[in-house]
Amino acid sequence: GDTQVWGTTGTNAGTTLLHDFNFGFNGASLAALSVLNNRLVFEAVNPNTGDTQVWGTSGTAAGTTLLHDFNFGIEGAGLTTLGTVDNTLIFEVVNSRTGDTQVWGTTGTTAGTALLHDFNFGIQRASLTVLGTVNNRFIFEAANSITGDVQVWGTTGTSAGTALLRDFNFGISRAELTVLATVNNTLVFEAVNSVTGDTQVWGTTGTNAGTTLLHDFNYGIGGAYLSVQSVASGELYFEVTVVSTGETQLWKTNGTASGTVLVGEFRT
């Protein structure tokens, strides 16, 4: 069950053992996470103990190093790549026993691997969803499945650069977020209260101060449906359909509240 990682330049002399994962009879389970900064980042799991490790390699034995050891016990850890920002891989780590959900970043080196934020929402874990990247900031959603609380976070790939942008605390009904588009370095997204139907359009530049409500389409219990039409000349055009009346409106936004305006209404 011995598992080894090798590297080759395509020649006999250039073929070398990078690391030997001698975890015992069942061997190691390896999975690539990403390639960045000329380094391959990969996961190694010991099936006997559940120990989950993240490694990085430049393709040489000397350049193959342990980045972090997630020793959560026999249940192990679940790792999921979220994306990259500023040459940093952003990944999610879930403790399979406790449900604790963490977001980590790595540049492919041990020194460049750090915990960005710990979403300790309890046994139900946090549900993370990628929203996008804007102004060298990685934007993602963190939902608490117990309380329904939905948060929008931004990170530069460092602990200091990871911050809460907005907390949509609509209660157990939770908010439903949908990215519309990026315009003028602003990520524009929709937030819907799934109980009241209240539909809001927000914009974020990736910072707390730069996250603002653009318009609140509070049309009652049926709410409104939004659909993107086009992006042209620095403006996002989107259609709003009012469920209770069937009325259709055309709106546009440049990513600011003052620049979010009604273009026209269409009644049937």
Side-chain angles (χ1 to χ4, degrees):
D2 189 24
T3 303
Q4 300 175 340
V5 174
W6 287 70
T8 183
T9 59
T11 66
N12 183 280
T15 303
T16 56
L17 174 66
L18 304 185
H19 190 78
D20 189 341
F21 293 92
N22 191 357
F23 289 157
F25 182 74
N26 289 317
S29 175
L30 305 183
L33 296 179
S34 184
V35 176
L36 74 162
N37 302 321
N38 291 320
R39 295 179 65 83
L40 169 66
V41 180
F42 64 97
E43 168 189 1
V45 179
N46 184 333
N48 303 300
T49 65
D51 190 24
T52 302
Q53 301 174 346
V54 175
W55 286 72
T57 181
S58 60
T60 66
T64 302
T65 55
L66 174 65
L67 305 186
H68 193 81
D69 189 342
F70 296 94
N71 191 356
F72 292 155
I74 192 63
E75 293 88 352
L79 272 60
T80 304
T81 297
L82 298 177
T84 57
V85 60
D86 199 20
N87 295 319
T88 300
L89 173 68
I90 310 298
F91 62 98
E92 170 189 4
V93 181
V94 178
N95 185 322
S96 303
R97 177 175 58 85
T98 66
D100 188 27
T101 303
Q102 301 174 345
V103 174
W104 285 71
T106 182
T107 58
T109 65
T110 305
T113 302
L115 172 65
L116 304 184
H117 192 77
D118 189 340
F119 295 92
N120 192 356
F121 290 158
I123 193 64
Q124 294 295 328
R125 66 171 284 187
S127 176
L128 305 184
T129 304
V130 176
L131 296 180
T133 303
V134 62
N135 300 319
N136 287 325
R137 289 178 178 268
F138 184 77
I139 313 300
F140 63 97
E141 166 191 346
N144 185 327
S145 57
I146 296 177
T147 65
D149 192 26
V150 175
Q151 302 173 345
V152 176
W153 286 74
T155 181
T156 58
T158 66
S159 178
T162 302
L164 174 65
L165 306 185
R166 174 72 188 182
D167 190 340
F168 294 93
N169 192 355
F170 291 157
I172 194 63
S173 60
R174 71 174 286 178
E176 298 174 0
L177 307 184
T178 304
V179 173
L180 299 179
T182 299
V183 58
N184 296 322
N185 296 318
T186 301
L187 181 70
V188 180
F189 62 96
E190 169 189 6
V192 179
N193 185 320
S194 56
V195 169
T196 66
D198 187 24
T199 302
Q200 301 174 346
V201 174
W202 286 74
T204 182
T205 58
T207 66
N208 182 280
T211 303
T212 56
L213 175 65
L214 304 185
H215 193 79
D216 189 342
F217 297 92
N218 191 358
Y219 291 145
I221 194 64
Y225 292 118
L226 274 59
S227 60
V228 174
Q229 298 302 306
S230 64
V231 177
S233 302
E235 292 182 312
L236 164 65
Y237 290 82
F238 58 98
E239 180 181 279
V240 179
T241 302
V242 183
V243 174
S244 59
T245 65
E247 178 186 357
T248 300
Q249 303 172 344
L250 181 64
W251 286 74
K252 68 177 182 178
T253 181
N254 61 5
T256 67
S258 61
T260 303
V261 296
L262 174 66
V263 177
E265 298 180 78
F266 308 91
R267 297 181 183 273
T268 57

